[in-house]
Amino acid sequence: MMLKAVIFDLDGVITDTAHLHFLAWRSVAEEIGITIDEDFNAELKGISRMESLKRILRHGGKEDAFSDKQCLALAGKKNARYVQSLASLTEASMLPGIRELLADIRAAKVKTGLASVSLNAPGILHALGIASAFDFCADASRIICSKPDPEIFLAACEGLNVRPEEAIGIEDAAAGVEAINAAGMLSVGIGPGLERAAMQLCSTRELTWNRLTDFWTSRTVSIRNS
Ligand code: B16
Ligand code: MG
């Protein structure tokens, strides 16, 4: 089977905004008497804004302390601070190897998609100067079920007009790898703790077009022979 598309997660795969998310959440959490650290923040990778807030409130034993309206205001405050910090992003904020990979995929005439749950994804791609490198970006505001549900990866496949089994998905979060697997795509995990990924890499430095195509070919051959 031919590889027809590569679908990327954004935060942690294309650029690293996890620390900026952390700083914004930490300041909002402190104001309501909850302390979070970087280890806890790692659990919020790939998790939507409102679900992240729920987890922070649960972590601080305050899950029932705020009304829906107050929760929306807290999430809005966090987002305003986060968006302000995004001004520090430049074209140099891409993770290593990603710019070359996007160019190589384009040269091979394979489609590229984005499956990020971040509502700020379009602005981030623009700040990085790579909005035109994607053939289709799934719209996070239309997604009902968060990762690990496959919905956002399936939406990206549909938008690219490819079948999930013709596509590779790349993620840095366990929930994201689960979503790719559940979609029926081939999963690549970046970073530790992603044993459920079909191929695990330590960093985006290792994520080259040659490696992806070798992996795709070897998987296709072993599926044919099994
Ligand atoms: P926003 P990804 C995710 O991005 C982040 O990993 C996660 O920490 C964040 O809460 C989520 O986006 C929502 O972001 O508040 O900007 O809508 O990994 O799916 O690219
Ligand atoms: Mg991510």
Side-chain angles (χ1 to χ4, degrees), residues 5-10 13 113-116 146-154 156-157 163-190 194 196-199 215-216:
V6 181
I7 299 177
F8 294 79
D9 173 48
L10 175 61
V13 173
L114 190 82
S116 166
S146 245
K147 298 167 186 176
D149 190 281
E151 187 182 2
I152 194 160
F153 281 98
L154 292 175
C157 288
R163 288 183 288 132
E165 55 275 24
E166 296 170 326
I168 287 178
I170 308 174
E171 262 287 351
D172 70 313
V177 168
E178 291 302 333
I180 296 171
N181 291 344
M185 299 161 63
L186 194 57
S187 55
V188 174
I190 308 293
L194 300 176
R196 302 261 303 142
M199 176 163 75
F215 177 54
W216 181 265

Side-chain angles (χ1 to χ4, degrees), residues 73-200:
L74 287 170
K77 196 191 272 187
K78 178 266 172 177
N79 191 52
R81 291 176 191 176
Y82 173 66
V83 168
Q84 213 171 15
S85 70
L86 288 178
S88 64
L89 286 185
T90 67
E91 296 194 9
S93 310
M94 303 250 294
L95 285 168
I98 294 296
R99 188 177 300 282
E100 296 74 9
L101 176 61
L102 287 169
D104 288 348
I105 298 175
R106 185 58 40 108
K109 295 193 169 31
V110 167
K111 293 176 181 172
T112 46
L114 190 82
S116 166
V117 298
S118 174
L119 297 166
N120 294 300
I124 295 173
L125 291 186
H126 187 74
L128 297 172
I130 50 166
S132 63
F134 290 89
D135 296 302
F136 182 78
C137 298
D139 181 352
S141 70
R142 288 167 169 263
I143 300 301
I144 295 163
C145 306
S146 245
K147 298 167 186 176
D149 190 281
E151 187 182 2
I152 194 160
F153 281 98
L154 292 175
C157 288
E158 202 184 320
L160 290 169
N161 200 20
V162 299
R163 288 183 288 132
E165 55 275 24
E166 296 170 326
I168 287 178
I170 308 174
E171 262 287 351
D172 70 313
V177 168
E178 291 302 333
I180 296 171
N181 291 344
M185 299 161 63
L186 194 57
S187 55
V188 174
I190 308 293
L194 300 176
E195 289 74 23
R196 302 261 303 142
M199 176 163 75
Q200 261 187 286

